[in-house]
Amino acid sequence: MKVLILPDTATAVSRVADILAQTLDAGRGCTMGLATGGTMVPLYAEIVARHRAGQLSLAQVTTFNLDEYVGLAPDHPGSYHRYMAEVLFDHTDIRPGHAHLPRGDAPDPRAEAMAYEARIAREGGIDLQVLGLGQNGHIAFNEPTSSLGSRTRIKTLTDDTRRANRPYFDREEDMPRYAITMGIATILEARAIVLLATGASKADAVAAMVEGPVSALCPASALQLHPKATIVLDAKAASALRLTNYYHHVHPDGQESDYS
Ligand code: F6R
């Protein structure tokens, strides 16, 4: 696990944007896994800005989002379809039909989850998976106690997660209870992973993910098993780590080094 600690949110976001840009440059026709949530908003704004400045293109990429709320149609204001269109897709040159999300309004959500997993495999898997981190240690919507061997499926959201996402919905009763989410084993099959966590509210989850035991209680700790996982943090999100000096020593200013 590479732990890159940047002084603030803006530099952490810019570091992740660099990693995305490198993947876009390296592989014509690469496949990326994408996350949603508040942490990703400045990242996608940075990608859009670089695209507008002619520095990067999404014309050759295929994307798979991690999750979608069960019951929400793509045009629902709280859906991740809408979020992705508004913050990223509508402002870039991604080709129509190359941005995939599970359909929350599928008549059979279980079948949709299985079909989504199969679609990822048909595309040859994911080259770079972008992740955020829940305060309870979730990645995608793999809530604590999710099987580390899980595949794309329906998960019941915890009260914590529903509370965190409540501001995106007008009324309490509109906040979904279930999501279709890539599983932990699905995520671990990505050839490379980059996780972005910012702010003090993520500090405990970051410490559990990086320095705690591998445990279903902290689903993100499964990333310790991945051979190419990069964790990009701002100083606040890194504040509960114990080996901070070592991470700074290996990756000064969050930069790459010959040996990690
Ligand atoms: C959603 C997802 C979630 C979020 C996590 C953090 O696609 O993958 O795991 O990354 O809930 O959300 P924010 O960034 O809103 O704190």
Side-chain angles (χ1 to χ4, degrees), residues 137-167:
H138 72 212
I139 44 174
F141 276 137
N142 295 287
E143 299 285 31
T145 72
S146 287
S147 161
L148 302 186
S150 52
R151 296 277 162 191
T152 307
R153 69 207 182 295
I154 315 297
K155 273 305 284 183
T156 304
L157 303 174
T158 61
D159 285 346
D160 285 346
T161 297
R162 295 185 72 230
R163 218 171 294 122
N165 288 287
R166 169 75 182 81

Side-chain angles (χ1 to χ4, degrees), residues 5-253:
I5 304 175
L6 284 300
D8 52 33
T9 304
T11 47
V13 163
S14 173
R15 191 72 190 80
V16 175
D18 290 345
I19 293 170
L20 264 65
Q22 275 160 17
T23 305
L24 290 167
D25 276 354
R28 290 188 80 71
C30 70
T31 302
M32 271 193 195
L34 298 179
T36 56
T39 312
M40 297 298 140
V41 171
L43 173 64
Y44 295 144
E46 173 81 16
I47 297 295
V48 169
R50 291 189 190 196
H51 169 65
R52 287 192 175 138
Q55 293 165 3
L56 63 77
S57 165
L58 299 187
Q60 300 297 328
V61 75
T62 297
T63 63
F64 284 93
N65 264 81
L66 288 164
D67 37 28
E68 179 58 287
Y69 293 114
V70 170
L72 300 196
D75 61 353
H76 188 288
S79 75
Y80 286 153
H81 279 80
R82 267 286 280 275
Y83 168 106
M84 290 306 297
E86 284 170 7
V87 302
L88 185 68
F89 297 148
D90 285 357
H91 314 288
T92 65
D93 55 350
I94 192 160
R95 292 161 299 172
H98 286 257
H100 304 282
L101 291 94
R103 285 288 295 235
D105 60 345
D108 182 345
R110 276 203 187 89
E112 171 66 6
M114 286 168 68
Y116 196 69
E117 176 94 20
R119 228 175 294 155
I120 296 169
R122 252 197 330 271
E123 288 289 336
I126 289 172
D127 295 307
L128 177 66
Q129 175 66 58
V130 180
L131 295 175
L133 177 67
Q135 289 180 34
N136 64 3
H138 72 212
I139 44 174
F141 276 137
N142 295 287
E143 299 285 31
T145 72
S146 287
S147 161
L148 302 186
S150 52
R151 296 277 162 191
T152 307
R153 69 207 182 295
I154 315 297
K155 273 305 284 183
T156 304
L157 303 174
T158 61
D159 285 346
D160 285 346
T161 297
R162 295 185 72 230
R163 218 171 294 122
N165 288 287
R166 169 75 182 81
Y168 297 102
F169 293 85
D170 285 343
R171 297 173 308 170
E172 179 75 36
E173 56 270 35
D174 293 342
M175 177 65 222
R177 294 184 173 278
Y178 308 100
I180 299 177
T181 178
M182 278 190 209
I184 296 175
T186 318
I187 291 169
L188 291 179
E189 274 174 9
R191 287 179 272 283
I193 294 176
V194 59
L195 181 145
L196 172 65
T198 54
S201 67
K202 301 292 171 70
D204 289 344
V206 165
M209 163 178 69
V210 176
E211 297 175 341
V214 174
S215 159
L217 252 190
C218 176
S221 65
L223 300 182
Q224 293 176 28
L225 301 170
H226 195 280
K228 222 175 155 203
T230 303
I231 311 298
V232 181
L233 307 169
D234 66 6
K236 286 183 179 159
S239 60
L241 288 169
R242 286 188 301 145
L243 304 184
T244 317
N245 288 345
Y246 179 66
Y247 308 132
H248 280 302
H249 174 62
V250 180
H251 298 289
D253 302 319

